[in-house]
Amino acid sequence: MNKLLSEVDPQIVKIAQKDLARQQNALMLIPSENYASRAVMEIQGSILANKYAEGYPGERYYNGCEFMDEVESLAIERAKALFDVECVNVQPHAGTQANMAVYYALLEPGDTILSMSLSHGGHLSHGDAVNFSGRYYNVVTYGVNAETERIDMDEVSRLAQQHRPKLIVVGATAYPRQFDFAEWRRVADSIGAYLLADIAHIAGLVAGGAHPSPVPYSDVVTTTTHKTLRGPRGAIVMCKAEHAAKIDRAVFPGLQGGPFLHTIAAKAVAFKEASEPAFKAYQAQIVKNAAALAARLTQNGFRLVSGGTENHLMLVDLTSKYEKLSGRQAADHLEDAGIIVNKNSIPFDKRKPRTTSGIRLGTPMITTRGMKEEQMHLIADFIAETLENRQKTAIKRRIREKVAELCTQFPIYGYLSAPKLPE
Ligand SMILES: *Cc1c(COP(=O)(O)O)cnc(C)c1O
């Protein structure tokens, strides 16, 4: 049991090294991803993975949990302080499980949920037909206004009055504007509904003061820990004290077995990092970078959904410049140039979800690398040049070289020279 990984399994090491090179040598603009810190990864790959600890601190179903209790309690205390919230459950394995726990705790099968439709920026776990949530609950959706491409609170209010949902979900996976959570609370109160804020995408912004917090206005708040929050893959559920017992029972034993204490320890490390001044500066820079990228893309002739961004991401409406170019094709061309984005439906998209007319861009990862407005300018121009010359392989290759050069100036994990590009 003392052999190094490189001795035991060189094959898997080689694959990981190839992905390290990929992560170093390309520009990652997927807004839901980030580079977790070394400290986070170190504890996640530790001996804390060896323990079963079903239950909660002080009430475990296994013996030998003394230090597991310390780990989990520390994670809970830090999350409570970071988000200024009454209660936290740090056990959900992922964002979808966190949302499941909320539904399981507060609803009965067949109850009505009002949430954002997937095609306008909502998440699968908010009641989409292909997800468990769409099968077990009666889901009514709101979208964005066709003119403003922003959520229309009058429509939300009207739908709430008409359908009287037991739970309203506010939160999105592809929405470039801020949420006015006080307004959402008013709508929920007008019909006596619970309010769930799913801040999976913007949790880092909220923790760092770059987006208003939903905590004072929500019954429950869920978030992943691996997106802008820059921790390990996982999630947490935050709630008012009156819901805590129900939420805890829903997570375990309702939906999960043993918690991942190595991941919970890594969440604790991430919460500590997120409480430091450098994190506040990081989140502010994410937003400034997104604004700079958006402005330069607009100068390059692209129309952004809703006209811009107020957070870490933006949606580019490709039809505004290239009628025939789909989001899927654009994302593939950009990958040829070393720029990783994902295709995304735009509101009222005429193309199917697998094709789409848009791409979604975010700045969390390139900001983690230390890039600023000056680099956003360059990147927007790389994107424009790539799409303009999408049929010209030599030009795309030249841009890829420039991208790799830029990446070398901003190494990840302190690698001073970039690992070699894989063939
Ligand atoms: C990413 C995301 C989730 C789910 O996260 P997973 O960890 O992938 O299950 C939930 N809600 C929103 C709004 C998200 O963006």
Side-chain angles (χ1 to χ4, degrees), residues 201-273:
H201 260 266
I202 56 169
L205 279 67
V206 169
H211 188 294
S213 171
V215 167
Y217 307 104
S218 312
D219 293 283
V220 189
V221 179
T222 56
T223 181
T224 55
T225 47
H226 50 270
K227 297 181 183 174
T228 51
L229 201 49
R230 209 165 60 179
R233 301 203 81 76
I236 60 174
V237 183
M238 301 174 259
C239 66
K240 293 204 182 340
E242 64 188 282
H243 305 304
K246 274 191 189 170
I247 295 286
D248 284 350
R249 274 200 308 277
V251 174
F252 173 85
L255 296 165
Q256 293 186 175
F260 297 173
L261 261 308
H262 54 309
T263 301
I264 291 171
K267 289 174 188 173
V269 173
F271 300 147
K272 180 165 194 279
E273 290 175 340

Side-chain angles (χ1 to χ4, degrees), residues 94-96 99 123 125-126 172-173 198 200-201 224 226-227:
T96 297
N99 287 338
H123 190 258
S125 63
H126 294 176
T173 192
D198 177 349
H201 260 266
T224 55
H226 50 270
K227 297 181 183 174

Side-chain angles (χ1 to χ4, degrees), residues 213-334:
S213 171
V215 167
Y217 307 104
S218 312
D219 293 283
V220 189
V221 179
T222 56
T223 181
T224 55
T225 47
H226 50 270
K227 297 181 183 174
T228 51
L229 201 49
R230 209 165 60 179
R233 301 203 81 76
I236 60 174
V237 183
M238 301 174 259
C239 66
K240 293 204 182 340
E242 64 188 282
H243 305 304
K246 274 191 189 170
I247 295 286
D248 284 350
R249 274 200 308 277
V251 174
F252 173 85
L255 296 165
Q256 293 186 175
F260 297 173
L261 261 308
H262 54 309
T263 301
I264 291 171
K267 289 174 188 173
V269 173
F271 300 147
K272 180 165 194 279
E273 290 175 340
S275 67
E276 284 158 9
F279 191 79
K280 222 179 165 66
Y282 166 57
Q283 296 297 333
Q285 191 63 49
I286 286 179
V287 174
K288 281 194 261 179
N289 281 352
L293 188 63
R296 186 67 181 172
L297 285 167
T298 305
Q299 280 178 9
N300 274 304
F302 291 100
R303 193 188 78 84
L304 302 187
V305 169
S306 82
T309 175
E310 293 166 349
N311 57 22
H312 63 300
L313 67 81
M314 66 212 70
L315 283 172
V316 180
D317 172 6
L318 295 162
T319 63
S320 61
K321 202 168 172 189
Y322 304 110
E323 196 60 50
K324 295 227 166 72
L325 180 66
S326 70
R328 182 179 176 167
Q329 291 165 330
D332 288 345
H333 290 304
L334 289 169

